[in-house]
């Protein structure tokens, strides 16, 4: 077992034992190999460097209360990577190959899987990138698929859920209408770096992006979906430019299990005034409760025209949903949907 301060991992990169990779060339994937060398060697003309021929995933493995190792919904991540790879016109791994390589990554790096009881987990990062040398703009013919990992805690290191603030991004979009918002592409992140740097400088944790076509509806935060609670109803935006979050999908199922109404529909910006609890959700932390959202016509250099406020602490319903997901991941709650892949 690696000698790490499991209670204070934060969310950052740490080197582990190995990275797992497979190479696609001439219509075939090579057998996955585990390598201690984390430095890839390939052409400076590779598509990934110039045209962002790259997509990725994020999922987690947990050491349960019963000592068993669980990977949360890897089949969902496999299918999402396939849709991203397909959109980039690149070869992509089969669902089984994706899952096998994730399992291999966990097993080969098992020393870095945090023990139960620290709220920590092993974050898996599969990436699919185009590597053949090219000058013309084209989908990559030669591809590398690799799965690496890093042990992670919560963003804040705190045991309870810490709240964050957000600003509505009115003058920057993360996705284009009919663009790539619903795929997990590296390019989408490049687009949001500039406004995020600005937001962070102003002390905001998150940016809330609107639908890029009309700027009247809520889409999602930069790297997490939007979910709100209104009475006994779970509300999350229906939009073509939102990334289909697996955490959101799981939370919706749990909410329905608990007897809540789940509404996936258009959410006008003004409805922010009617919500009791608002959260960002994604694999990294499951949910980040949002305590306030500022509306600014321009991110830099304009006044806040309106502030929507929610609780200083996580809302009761959000906390219940969070605990259920974390319980399923840790083996404390019954996995009635069969979401966990339990390793032997
Ligand atoms: C990855 C991602 C999410 C969260 O998806 P999960 O499957 O829940 O981790 C949400 N929004 C964007 C833009 C993302 O890239």
């Amino acid at each position: 077992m690696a000698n790490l301060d499991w209670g204070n991992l934060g969310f950052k990169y740490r080197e582990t034992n190995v990275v797992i990779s497979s190479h696609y060339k001439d219509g075939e994937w090579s057998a996955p190999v585990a390598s201690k060398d984390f430095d890839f060697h390939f052409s400076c003309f590779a598509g990934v460097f110039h045209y962002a021929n790259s997509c990725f995933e994020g999922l987690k493995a947990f050491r349960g209360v019963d000592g068993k190792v669980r990977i949360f919904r890897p089949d969902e991540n496999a299918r999402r990577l396939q849709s991203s790879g397909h959109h980039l016109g690149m070869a992509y791994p089969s669902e089984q190959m994706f899952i096998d390589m994730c399992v291999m990554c966990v097993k080969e790096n098992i020393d870095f899987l945090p023990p139960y009881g620290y709220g920590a987990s092993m974050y898996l990062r599969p990436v699919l990138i185009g590597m053949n040398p090219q000058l013309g703009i084209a989908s990559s013919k030669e591809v590398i698929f690799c799965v690496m990992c890093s042990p992670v805690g919560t963003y804040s290191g705190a045991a309870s859920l810490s709240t964050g603030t957000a600003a509505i991004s009115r003058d920057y979009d993360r996705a284009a209408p009919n663009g790539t918002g619903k795929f997990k592409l590296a390019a989408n992140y490049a687009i949001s770096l500039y406004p995020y740097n600005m937001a962070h400088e102003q002390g905001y944790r998150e940016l809330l992006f609107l639908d890029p076509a009309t700027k009247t509806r809520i889409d999602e935060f930069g790297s997490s979906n939007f979910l709100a609670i209104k009475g006994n109803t779970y509300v999350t935006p229906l939009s073509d430019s939102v990334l289909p979050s697996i955490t959101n999908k799981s939370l919706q199922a749990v909410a329905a299990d608990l007897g809540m109404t789940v509404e996936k529909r258009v959410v006008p910006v003004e409805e922010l005034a009617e919500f009791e609890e608002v959260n960002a959700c994604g694999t990294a932390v499951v949910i980040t409760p949002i305590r306030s959202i500022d509306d600014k016509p321009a991110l830099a250099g304009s006044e806040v025209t309106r502030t929507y406020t929610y609780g200083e602490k996580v809302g009761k319903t959000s906390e219940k949903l969070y605990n259920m997901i974390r319980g399923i991941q840790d083996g404390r709650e019954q996995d009635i949907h069969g979401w966990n892949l339990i390793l032997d």
Side-chain angles (χ1 to χ4, degrees):
M1 176 83 73
N3 184 20
L4 293 173
D5 184 2
W6 300 112
N8 292 292
L9 290 171
F11 194 87
K12 62 179 185 190
Y13 161 72
R14 277 192 176 73
E15 191 166 317
T16 59
N17 290 333
V18 294
V19 49
I20 315 298
S21 64
S22 170
H23 183 179
Y24 181 89
K25 196 177 179 180
D26 302 330
E28 261 188 304
W29 286 101
S30 63
V33 290
S35 166
K36 287 191 187 307
D37 185 0
F38 285 76
D39 296 331
F40 286 9
H41 184 93
F42 47 84
S43 172
C44 54
F45 282 97
V48 63
F49 295 136
H50 307 262
Y51 307 127
N53 300 16
S54 168
C55 56
F56 68 99
E57 277 302 323
L59 66 164
K60 280 180 167 181
F62 301 84
R63 175 75 70 180
V65 63
D66 52 5
K68 289 182 181 161
V69 181
R70 291 173 174 79
I71 306 181
F72 190 66
R73 311 194 76 174
D75 52 329
E76 289 284 337
N77 293 91
R79 288 196 287 272
R80 193 169 63 188
L81 181 91
Q82 290 182 326
S83 83
S84 300
H86 176 78
H87 195 74
L88 291 172
M90 301 201 297
Y92 47 80
S94 68
E95 192 175 317
Q96 195 58 52
M97 176 177 163
F98 178 100
I99 293 172
D100 289 347
M101 285 176 66
C102 287
V103 169
M104 195 169 163
C105 186
V106 174
K107 288 186 172 173
E108 295 278 347
N109 292 294
I110 200 77
D111 295 350
F112 291 89
L113 180 74
Y116 176 76
Y118 292 92
S121 56
M122 178 183 276
Y123 184 80
L124 300 175
R125 169 51 60 83
V127 293
L128 184 72
I129 59 182
M131 65 175 300
N132 57 286
Q134 63 183 87
L135 203 47
I137 302 163
S139 295
S140 301
K141 300 283 168 271
E142 227 182 288
V143 174
I144 200 161
F145 175 59
C146 51
V147 182
M148 49 264 200
C149 67
S150 187
V152 296
T154 52
Y155 269 119
S156 60
S160 63
L161 286 165
S162 68
T163 59
T165 56
I168 297 176
S169 181
R170 290 208 178 261
D171 51 347
Y172 294 94
D173 295 320
R174 68 167 281 279
N178 308 310
T180 56
K182 59 175 174 287
F183 304 110
K184 208 167 177 78
L185 309 190
N188 292 344
Y189 279 81
I191 288 168
S192 66
L193 287 176
Y194 186 77
Y196 256 97
N197 289 340
M198 214 160 12
H200 289 158
E201 269 168 32
Q202 295 176 33
Y204 295 111
R205 166 105 58 108
E206 284 296 341
L207 276 176
L208 182 55
F209 291 98
L210 305 180
D211 79 291
T214 73
K215 311 294 283 262
T216 60
R217 306 154 164 189
I218 293 169
D219 254 8
E220 66 171 321
F221 299 98
S223 58
S224 45
N225 274 188
F226 175 98
L227 84 88
I229 306 294
K230 194 184 199 173
N232 195 39
T233 305
Y234 180 117
V235 181
T236 194
L238 177 67
S239 163
D240 269 355
S241 42
V242 166
L243 193 282
S245 155
I246 296 157
T247 311
N248 191 358
K249 190 174 174 181
S250 307
L251 286 162
Q252 287 171 50
V254 164
D257 293 342
L258 293 174
M260 294 180 68
T261 305
V262 175
E263 291 180 1
K264 190 171 180 184
R265 58 164 169 82
V266 163
V267 181
V269 181
E270 298 72 43
E271 201 177 349
L272 286 174
E274 296 170 29
F275 296 132
E276 288 137 31
E277 303 173 21
V278 165
N279 305 277
C281 70
T283 294
V285 283
V286 184
I287 64 169
T288 299
I290 302 296
R291 62 175 182 273
S292 68
I293 302 175
D294 282 348
D295 199 346
K296 293 179 93 178
L299 197 49
S302 85
E303 297 300 309
V304 173
T305 52
R306 181 161 188 185
T307 301
Y308 302 91
T309 54
Y310 308 99
E312 286 293 315
K313 290 196 307 193
V314 60
K316 284 216 157 52
T317 305
S318 304
E319 189 170 35
K320 196 157 65 175
L321 297 172
Y322 170 82
N323 285 334
M324 190 60 86
I325 295 286
R326 289 293 296 109
I328 293 169
Q329 292 171 332
D330 283 348
R332 287 179 282 110
E333 296 284 348
Q334 221 186 336
D335 179 15
I336 58 169
H337 298 280
W339 287 336
N340 293 311
L341 174 68
I342 302 183
L343 305 201
D344 42 47

